[in-house]
Amino acid sequence: MTARVVSWLDERLGLISIYSLVFDRKVPKVNWWFTLGSASLFLFIMQGVTGVFLSVYYVPDPSKAYDSIQYIMTGVTFGWLIRGIHHWGASLMVIFVFIHMLRTFFMGAYKFPRELTWLTGVILLLATLGMGFTGYLLPWNQRAYWATTVGTAIAGTVPVIGDFILRVLRGGNDLSAVTLARFFSVHIWFLPVVILGLISVHMYLIIRLGISSVPKEEEG
Amino acid sequence: MNEEQKKTYLEEYKQEKEQGVKFYPDIIYKDLLVSFAIFLLLLGLAIFVGVPAEPPVDPGDSTYIPRPEWYFLFLFQMLKYFPGQIEWVGTVIIPTIAVLALLLLPFYDRSPFRHWKMRKVAAVIMSVVVIGIVGLTILAAVATPPQEETALATTITDKIVLGQDVYSIHCVECHGAEGEGGEIIGVEGLEGVFVKAISSQDEMYTRSDDTFFAIIDYGQPDLGMPPSGLGYGGELLRGEIDAIVTFMRYTWDDRVEIPEEAAQAGAIPALGPDEIPSFEVHVGPIVKRYCVSCHRPGKKNNNYLMRSFQETMETGDNAPNVIPGDLNSNNILMLHRQEIEAGGPMPPTRALKPELIEIFERWVLGGAPETAEEAAALSPTAVPTAPEATETSVSP
């Protein structure tokens, strides 16, 4: 019965070829350092899942944002847990993505033929930092407000176009409801879409080129 | 890498792959194990550490020390080394170079070597960068002072002085300049309400600072006291409320001794025997403490505002309320608690101390000068060495 279902599905979806292509392939023997990429992916999925749950109750409006988070923390069943995971997941994700980058660097894994994997990886690192920056404002508390005030002011020091960038970031001269709306939108739509797209390319390249091997000293 | 090297690499890689393992289950197993460990770590952090509580946004509170998320601290710290004109080197040049160097790494590092021992320069550069980032992060974490202690005015004296100012403007109209309370006169919606003293021993001995804070912040709407905290629709920042509480405690609680400095800063400046008072030095502080609470916009005051010299002299439905040289000016008559066309006794609930009224009178008689220089020029003993006169002055 199972065999019939599988073969029925395989005729239509090509599952077996996907399986042999993705899972049943030979890869070089590697060490634990090579789990950092999948750990980053796992953290991204955790952030995505908890983020979707948080978006059920979170209201990106200056008069309601703080209270909506208070509600998530005290009123919603396990809301505190979801937010706690999202909060700590952000820090862990930055750490893991960064160490993943260092691993790739020190093992020379960015070299031929994996230049594009590296390129997408660096953009993913930057996008992760962007997620951290935009997400930090959303609780709309003192810490968030002043960190973002200073953070966006830094953009204003760019010669010539600094003021323009500042106003694009803030949606005006000061932090306001517009800033919150922009950061919220970038945090839950723009950056996640960019990250998802780049992860797809990143993973395609990893499967196509195979994971790098641990470099041997004598071979260079 | 040239074509030859590429070919060698691909062949070696193929060999390693053949001697290697299956992605499933070997690699997947390790990946899942690490992910599961991370999941447990996340649960632990969320359950046992949680998310620190923070007060809501207070845009007016510019004394709040901005603290970026920890992974941006190194950038924040780095900027400190590029002050003023060269700030953009830290904000633009260095980050741009760093990002480009990272992005384009495979395109300029074209050596075929992969082991770090064969790429010592690269390894050293990256190590230095990482040590730098960690070092700057630690420096920033150490350099950032704790939030609570520096929430607003840094010293007790600053807090008391600030608290007195804020109290004068926001509280005096109902609670009186000395917290004595009494019948409210001239406050919209609360006319005739009787307010108990808030500076009494009863009050001071039985209310904690937290209680005072909560009362000011949230108000006591059922008793008629509106909220003052920004978060509840009032006008005050949390730091200002905190300052009021400090002012109340140090001024009215007889168990607490007010610092000498604060007592002096809060006192109305002394006046020499022949000295003509000025608005700037003498009358202004009195007005600020006893009058502005009602004589500011949005209050019932016949449009007479007293926030500045200009307003004191010129505004009001019965302007001018101060006529230089004329002791029959509205203000003086009302300070002497006379009922005149312009209105009743002022301040409505309690007479100003005689010595303060005297300062007011001498100021009006002397020509109601604004600045100390103008007052010195008007003085009958007008001599450029005016400071001597103030040094031998008597306390009011």
Side-chain angles (χ1 to χ4, degrees):
Chain A
M1 180 65 196
T2 323
R4 280 183 59 197
V5 172
V6 170
S7 94
W8 187 91
L9 284 173
D10 183 50
E11 277 173 357
R12 282 146 189 89
L13 298 172
L15 289 180
I16 291 171
S17 55
I18 290 178
Y19 173 80
S20 55
L21 206 68
V22 176
F23 292 96
D24 195 31
R25 64 192 158 103
K26 281 277 213 165
V27 290
K29 244 200 180 102
V30 290
N31 55 35
W32 287 95
W33 288 106
F34 285 71
T35 59
L36 288 165
S38 69
S40 306
L41 176 64
F42 172 73
L43 280 162
F44 175 71
I45 293 169
M46 285 300 288
Q47 292 303 87
V49 171
T50 51
V52 167
F53 276 109
L54 288 174
S55 76
V56 174
Y57 296 100
Y58 177 74
V59 186
D61 176 302
S63 61
K64 301 193 180 87
Y66 186 82
D67 289 338
S68 69
I69 287 190
Q70 290 302 106
Y71 181 65
I72 289 170
M73 294 301 280
T74 54
V76 180
T77 313
F78 287 121
W80 60 273
L81 186 65
I82 298 291
R83 178 168 181 236
I85 292 175
H86 199 74
H87 173 90
W88 287 105
S91 288
L92 284 190
M93 190 168 163
V94 169
I95 294 176
F96 274 87
V97 172
F98 186 73
I99 303 179
H100 179 46
M101 184 275 287
L102 288 182
R103 196 283 291 170
T104 313
F105 179 87
F106 281 106
M107 291 192 175
Y110 56 86
K111 300 196 172 195
F112 171 83
R114 301 186 181 81
E115 295 93 333
L116 290 178
T117 325
W118 169 267
L119 205 66
T120 50
V122 173
I123 302 174
L124 279 168
L125 169 62
L126 297 176
T128 304
L129 292 175
M131 286 297 269
F133 185 65
T134 49
Y136 204 54
L137 177 68
L138 304 187
W140 202 249
N141 54 32
Q142 278 287 74
R143 181 187 274 261
Y145 183 89
W146 290 105
T148 307
T149 301
V150 173
T152 49
I154 286 172
T157 63
V158 179
V160 188
I161 52 166
D163 197 49
F164 174 73
I165 300 176
L166 180 75
R167 276 184 284 116
V168 168
L169 282 174
R170 291 185 180 174
N173 286 322
D174 294 304
L175 255 67
S176 66
V178 186
T179 324
L180 184 58
R182 286 185 184 192
F183 274 52
F184 178 68
S185 177
V186 168
H187 188 77
I188 73 158
W189 291 117
F190 289 73
L191 283 177
V193 166
V194 167
I195 291 177
L196 268 178
L198 286 171
I199 286 179
S200 312
V201 178
H202 203 71
M203 303 245 301
Y204 166 77
L205 290 169
I206 292 162
I207 293 165
R208 181 181 144 71
L209 303 167
I211 53 172
S212 61
S213 51
V214 183
K216 292 190 186 67
E217 204 178 334
E218 64 271 23
E219 292 175 339
Chain B
M1 277 175 105
N2 55 37
E3 292 307 312
E4 193 68 24
Q5 287 165 326
K6 283 183 185 173
K7 226 170 140 186
T8 331
Y9 173 77
L10 287 179
E11 265 162 30
E12 279 171 6
Y13 183 71
K14 207 174 161 191
Q15 267 182 17
E16 283 205 62
K17 227 157 80 164
E18 272 156 18
Q19 297 159 8
V21 293
K22 283 281 182 66
F23 180 70
Y24 174 82
D26 291 64
I27 301 284
I28 284 273
Y29 157 76
K30 277 185 176 172
D31 286 344
L32 287 182
L33 206 64
V34 170
S35 291
F36 185 65
I38 289 175
F39 181 70
L40 290 185
L41 178 61
L42 275 179
L43 276 185
L45 287 169
I47 292 170
F48 298 111
V49 185
V51 185
E54 277 283 321
V57 166
D58 193 344
D61 182 5
S62 56
T63 55
Y64 190 90
I65 302 159
R67 289 163 301 174
E69 185 63 305
W70 65 267
Y71 41 82
F72 290 121
L73 277 179
F74 74 99
L75 272 175
F76 200 59
Q77 184 69 16
M78 188 188 71
L79 293 184
K80 290 184 187 165
Y81 304 108
F82 299 96
Q85 285 293 315
I86 54 163
E87 194 182 21
W88 59 281
V89 174
T91 56
V92 184
I93 303 291
I94 293 179
T96 309
I97 290 176
V99 167
L100 283 180
L102 209 58
L103 264 179
L104 303 177
L105 175 64
F107 305 102
Y108 61 83
D109 173 16
R110 306 175 70 103
S111 83
F113 303 114
R114 283 160 204 259
H115 197 280
W116 65 270
K117 280 191 178 165
M118 309 293 285
R119 303 162 45 230
K120 287 211 171 104
V121 176
V124 166
I125 292 177
M126 186 53 105
S127 303
V128 167
V129 169
V130 172
I131 291 168
I133 288 177
V134 173
L136 284 172
T137 305
I138 293 170
L139 265 182
V142 172
T144 309
Q147 200 68 50
E148 280 70 35
E149 276 149 45
T150 46
L152 196 81
T154 40
T155 63
I156 291 288
T157 298
D158 286 352
K159 266 189 173 182
I160 295 172
V161 171
L162 173 71
Q164 169 137 46
D165 283 357
V166 182
Y167 178 86
S168 302
I169 294 170
H170 294 273
C171 316
V172 165
E173 58 179 345
C174 295
H175 292 287
E178 326 289 341
E180 71 276 9
E183 192 186 353
I184 298 177
I185 298 171
V187 178
E188 241 165 354
L190 291 169
E191 193 70 50
V193 173
F194 193 85
V195 181
K196 67 173 175 176
I198 54 169
S199 51
S200 66
Q201 209 174 53
D202 278 8
E203 205 72 19
M204 281 297 139
Y205 281 37
T206 57
R207 263 62 163 178
S208 70
D209 286 358
D210 285 348
T211 307
F212 281 135
F213 188 100
I215 292 175
I216 299 169
D217 191 24
Y218 183 73
Q220 296 195 318
D222 289 347
L223 294 174
M225 176 168 171
S228 294
L230 215 50
Y232 296 104
E235 300 174 60
L236 299 184
L237 307 173
R238 304 183 73 80
E240 289 176 323
I241 298 175
D242 190 41
I244 293 177
V245 174
T246 311
F247 158 72
M248 291 168 67
R249 183 66 70 195
Y250 277 89
T251 314
W252 298 331
D253 193 325
D254 56 19
R255 297 167 302 180
V256 184
E257 200 169 329
I258 188 166
E260 183 61 25
E261 247 184 300
Q264 273 178 5
I268 307 291
L271 192 60
D274 291 325
E275 193 185 350
I276 291 179
S278 66
F279 188 87
E280 183 185 64
V281 180
H282 305 94
V283 175
I286 301 175
V287 166
K288 193 157 131 195
R289 191 174 308 174
Y290 295 95
C291 318
V292 171
S293 187
C294 294
H295 291 282
R296 63 189 174 112
K299 301 288 168 183
K300 202 174 118 190
N301 49 30
N302 289 339
N303 297 316
Y304 184 37
L305 310 180
M306 301 181 80
R307 291 171 305 169
S308 65
F309 176 74
Q310 216 70 19
E311 284 182 354
T312 305
M313 301 303 287
E314 290 165 11
T315 60
D317 297 342
N318 302 294
N321 288 313
V322 176
I323 302 162
D326 185 359
L327 280 184
N328 286 321
S329 295
N330 290 342
N331 276 10
I332 302 297
L333 294 177
M334 287 157 94
L335 282 176
H336 283 298
R337 316 209 71 66
Q338 295 189 25
E339 195 75 47
I340 56 170
E341 209 176 306
M346 284 291 151
T349 40
R350 195 190 199 194
L352 225 52
K353 287 194 208 101
E355 59 265 31
L356 296 183
I357 296 180
E358 194 202 325
I359 292 178
F360 236 102
E361 286 178 339
R362 279 168 65 178
W363 174 62
V364 170
L365 266 183
E370 179 180 5
T371 63
E373 290 93 280
E374 284 170 28
L378 284 168
S379 175
T381 56
V383 273
T385 53
E388 273 182 39
T390 48
E391 266 171 28
T392 54
S393 63
V394 281
S395 180

